[in-house]
Amino acid sequence: MPSEPSEWPLEGPTLAESWNAAWSALGKPAPLELRRELELAWTEPHRHYHDTRHLGECLALCSRWTVQAERPAEVALAVWFHDAVHDPKLNANELNSAAWAARSLVAAGIGSEVAQRVYDLVLATRHDTPARGRDAALVVDIDLAILGSPSERFEAYDRDVRKEYAWVSGFRYRSQRKHVLQGFLSRARIYETACAVELLEEQARLNLQGAIERLEQ
């Protein structure tokens, strides 16, 4: 049995530090009100997993793996926005989050090409098609890093996801959740970047198999 990821729990820059650094790299002042709007969104009461803890863990990995990115500031902003809109009863969360990102960046004076790339990075977290490009692969791996977290953290995540879908009946939830988890486990590789494969791949497979077995009980 492999040792659990030694770099977890993740520690990284504060939310404000990460936000300010990304905008500074793009040559623009960091919009304080926009950050506050995003932080408020990430603290909505119906969020149990997709909350500021998830955001902080993702930003910590983003900071640690920054050398893997072609455009680190764009990756960081995509992470900030990737679950900014989160309603478990809707299917357009990533699309709405991406639109919020692009709209906000343009309003802050960022060029349309950059806004489009951030939009595309956020959409990549739908996880329905292979990521296109190094930055998209990195954003996707950062979002999925929880799958390869230590077993205790993974099981807390699994319970928190169930809380977000408390309105779904037990039988339906177990069936759909098993389908999602099996989809990741059936991949030749869960992660696309070398850093994520090395740190998380083996633990992720153990975690997913355990979760599927619990759903079958």
Side-chain angles (χ1 to χ4, degrees), residues 42-207:
W42 280 91
T43 57
E44 292 167 326
H46 66 271
R47 295 173 182 251
H48 298 278
Y49 168 65
H50 296 89
D51 57 7
T52 52
R53 182 179 182 181
H54 172 55
L55 175 61
E57 289 175 343
C58 287
L59 289 171
L61 270 180
C62 185
S63 175
R64 184 165 297 151
W65 292 345
T66 188
V67 295
Q68 305 289 328
E70 293 183 38
R71 299 179 176 91
E74 295 175 19
V75 168
L77 290 177
V79 168
W80 263 95
F81 278 97
H82 81 283
D83 281 322
V85 178
H86 180 71
D87 183 341
K89 296 184 178 181
L90 299 180
N91 293 321
N93 289 317
E94 293 86 359
L95 181 63
N96 291 334
S97 296
W100 187 3
R103 184 172 64 247
S104 298
L105 266 60
V106 170
I110 299 296
S112 59
E113 290 185 3
V114 173
Q116 180 65 54
R117 286 197 296 267
V118 173
Y119 177 94
D120 292 340
L121 292 177
V122 175
L123 278 190
T125 63
R126 289 183 296 189
H127 307 298
D128 56 353
T129 58
R132 295 184 178 180
R134 192 162 77 188
D135 284 352
L138 185 59
V139 170
V140 167
D141 282 359
I142 287 171
D143 188 31
L144 294 180
I146 189 65
L147 301 181
S149 63
S151 56
E152 183 177 351
R153 176 67 181 111
F154 176 86
E155 289 169 13
Y157 143 78
D158 209 27
R159 291 191 298 270
D160 287 341
V161 170
R162 181 64 180 109
K163 291 176 185 176
E164 291 185 348
Y165 289 89
W167 49 277
V168 179
S169 68
F171 175 80
R172 181 184 171 202
Y173 179 82
R174 288 192 298 273
S175 176
Q176 294 183 348
R177 181 67 171 161
K178 179 182 175 182
H179 177 75
V180 170
L181 298 182
Q182 188 64 59
F184 288 120
L185 189 59
S186 297
R187 294 180 178 182
R189 286 202 325 186
I190 296 169
Y191 300 103
E192 299 191 41
T193 60
C195 50
V197 170
E198 180 180 0
L199 178 65
L200 304 170
E201 182 80 21
E202 193 170 357
Q203 184 65 37
R205 292 192 175 278
L206 288 173
N207 288 337

